[in-house]
Amino acid sequence: MPRMGHTLSLLLRSAAVIGVLAATPAMAEPTVEVLHFWTSGGESRAVNVLRQDFEKAGGKWIDAPVAGGGGDAASTVLRSRVLAGDAPNAVQLKGPSIKEWAEQGVLAPLDSVAKAENWDQLVPPQLQQVIKSDGHYVAVPVNIHRVNWLWSNPAALAKVGAQPPKTWEEFNAVATKLKAAGIVPLAHGGQPWQDATIFETVVLGLGGSEFYKKALVDLDEKALTSDTMVKVFDQMRTIRGFVDNGFSNREWNLATAMVMKGDAAMQIMGDWAKGELVAAGKVPGKDVLCTTTPGSDGFLLNSDSFVMFTAKDKDRTAGQMLLAKLMLGEKFQHEFNLTKGSIPARMTLPMDGFDACAQKSSQDLKQAIGAKTLMPSMAHEMAVPGSVRGAFLDVVTAHFNSDMSSKDAVKRLAEAVTLAR
Ligand code: GAL
């Protein structure tokens, strides 16, 4: 066979290469639309950490924020978008609602990422139960928040010679002194999820973690109608006397700002409040103190996680898998949690660089796991299905904003919970 001329052979070979290239589908451009409710100052900084990480890794981020702390508004948007056949690709979701959505068959399994990244070794078993459905990973946890924190302004407390109260009795005494001195004792935002946040810390503080579990997790009727529960509502009524007139419908971060500025002495809120302190350049544990809510003998757990709604477009599925991988990565878990106020969900990550409140959270978490006093937060959707949580929120808020007696509240609560189950 005559030898082909050198140039011709090169030409033919490059034509063949071009042909192969043309037949190869274009590389996917990982893209995700992310539905979240992180819109306060500290929360937005945290979400930016995530976004930048994703974009640095070549992803395209489409932001879909829904304002409103606690995420109740975001849940409504999610439901209507799914019904309209327009599910976002990545969605902030937690607790039992993860399994509820998984049972609808609309969540993408994350087992391949989980296996490649060794999630079995990284995620605490208590969280694995939450983020798996039928043995498959369907969500990726980004953090561990503690709900039962009392934030206090040391200068405001010092005006009445007080320290952060350790029991509800002490709390009432300190708050009474503050009120008499013209200082708002408790910064609060009157929204159902914020009322419920205080309520569950009172349940824990007055009843103890075993009682908390019976009443707010197992929904035991005896516990729900007990004298302890009557006392819980009595304490809620007392607390109502310690909030300022402008409390109604105030966002939680504005309440945090009141404590930062010394306009109020204390706030009961999860450690996302710390995200606001950090964003404002305050030193947590010094400028604003972090102690556990009065009488706490445990750790009220709230963990944010993301699920991926099944997508057909290959750019979207590539984006979802990339996001899932990054979210449990060391760099992201470190930077994100420093900003968010939480501690890493990646349990093997060292706590270097975290502030005093985060260190306490991490130690108390380990202690609570050992002592079996780690309890899922009812107010933050970790403990019971949405319908039951809704029943709690309705009664707690109705009681807080009226002169309903504690006995009536207990009766209504037990009825509402039974109906919602
Ligand atoms: C919680 C959520 C936190 C937080 C807070 C206020 O339920 O887990 O991440 O930011 O609501 O929006």
Side-chain angles (χ1 to χ4, degrees):
M1 215 187 1
R3 279 194 64 213
M4 237 189 287
H6 184 62
T7 326
L8 180 63
S9 124
L10 262 186
L11 266 178
L12 282 179
R13 263 192 271 159
S14 26
V17 170
I18 289 167
V20 169
L21 279 183
T24 311
M27 290 281 285
E29 185 188 8
T31 305
V32 279
E33 186 196 6
V34 187
L35 182 84
H36 64 89
F37 56 89
W38 286 333
T39 54
S40 78
E43 289 174 336
S44 313
R45 288 178 78 225
V47 107
N48 265 334
V49 171
L50 179 56
R51 182 182 184 145
Q52 280 163 13
D53 240 30
F54 184 66
E55 287 176 348
K56 251 187 236 150
K60 186 171 161 217
W61 175 285
I62 303 167
D63 206 31
V66 181
D72 290 321
S75 302
T76 310
V77 171
L78 173 65
R79 273 193 299 276
S80 63
R81 286 199 50 179
V82 174
L83 277 178
D86 177 33
N89 312 120
V91 176
Q92 198 186 342
L93 208 71
K94 55 189 168 175
S97 53
I98 295 174
K99 286 195 180 62
E100 284 170 22
W101 280 107
E103 277 155 19
Q104 302 297 314
V106 288
L107 300 187
L110 304 175
D111 292 331
S112 57
V113 186
K115 194 156 181 244
E117 298 294 315
N118 210 7
W119 289 5
D120 279 352
Q121 306 304 316
L122 302 180
V123 180
Q126 292 78 1
L127 279 190
Q128 288 189 25
Q129 289 165 17
V130 180
I131 60 170
K132 278 182 177 174
S133 172
D134 248 342
H136 299 287
Y137 280 103
V138 288
V140 48
V142 289
N143 62 10
I144 293 178
H145 270 307
R146 182 184 208 174
V147 177
N148 50 325
W149 281 116
L150 176 75
W151 306 94
S152 55
N153 182 308
L157 288 182
K159 284 189 187 150
V160 296
Q163 298 287 326
K166 291 201 174 73
T167 63
W168 282 107
E169 219 181 322
E170 267 180 49
F171 176 90
N172 296 343
V174 170
T176 304
K177 279 194 207 162
L178 287 162
K179 198 171 168 183
I183 304 165
V184 176
L186 190 69
H188 179 54
Q191 296 174 341
W193 73 270
Q194 293 190 62
D195 298 340
T197 298
I198 296 186
F199 171 80
E200 69 181 22
T201 69
V202 177
V203 171
L204 181 71
L206 291 181
S209 50
E210 236 174 83
F211 177 79
Y212 178 99
K213 180 167 182 294
K214 274 192 197 145
L216 302 195
V217 184
D218 302 341
L219 307 175
D220 175 273
E221 174 131 19
K222 257 201 207 145
L224 285 172
T225 54
S226 62
D227 287 350
T228 306
M229 200 50 102
V230 174
K231 287 196 187 111
V232 168
F233 280 103
D234 287 348
Q235 179 61 36
M236 290 301 286
R237 176 65 65 241
T238 307
I239 289 174
R240 174 66 182 83
F242 295 140
V243 305
D244 70 316
N245 289 336
F247 83 102
S248 203
N249 208 28
R250 175 187 286 138
E251 281 293 335
W252 65 274
N253 54 317
L254 301 180
T256 308
M258 288 168 72
V259 177
M260 258 193 269
K261 288 189 213 138
D263 293 345
M266 303 179 275
Q267 182 187 20
I268 290 167
M269 189 48 65
D271 40 21
W272 45 94
K274 192 152 61 76
E276 301 303 299
L277 306 184
V278 173
K282 302 281 179 195
V283 180
K286 188 169 158 268
D287 298 329
V288 174
L289 308 177
C290 54
T291 49
T292 47
T293 47
S296 284
D297 73 336
F299 189 111
L300 295 186
L301 172 76
N302 173 25
S303 168
D304 291 305
S305 48
F306 281 80
V307 296
M308 311 294 163
F309 276 76
T310 317
K312 289 204 188 84
D313 185 296
K314 67 178 177 349
D315 288 350
R316 301 297 170 125
T317 52
Q320 291 176 321
M321 294 309 134
L322 175 60
L323 193 64
K325 177 182 159 192
L326 290 173
M327 278 174 166
L328 260 173
E330 283 187 19
K331 182 174 166 288
F332 167 74
Q333 287 274 326
H334 182 78
E335 284 174 16
F336 175 82
N337 285 298
L338 281 180
T339 317
K340 187 71 176 63
S342 35
I343 58 173
R346 184 180 173 115
M347 63 180 173
T348 52
L349 200 73
M351 288 293 292
D352 300 347
F354 281 87
D355 59 52
C357 306
Q359 301 290 351
K360 176 168 170 53
S361 184
S362 168
Q363 282 155 16
D364 287 0
L365 175 66
K366 283 188 202 121
Q367 202 266 334
I369 291 173
K372 296 206 169 20
T373 55
L374 176 66
M375 296 290 145
S377 162
M378 177 279 292
H380 294 276
E381 300 167 71
M382 299 292 293
V384 287
S387 52
V388 177
R389 173 183 175 264
F392 273 107
L393 267 56
D394 284 351
V395 177
V396 168
T397 291
H399 169 268
F400 200 72
N401 292 292
S402 69
D403 57 3
M404 191 190 296
S405 74
S406 300
K407 284 206 168 126
D408 278 351
V410 160
K411 198 167 154 267
R412 280 211 206 179
L413 182 64
E415 283 166 7
V417 167
T418 308
L419 268 180
R421 296 182 80 168

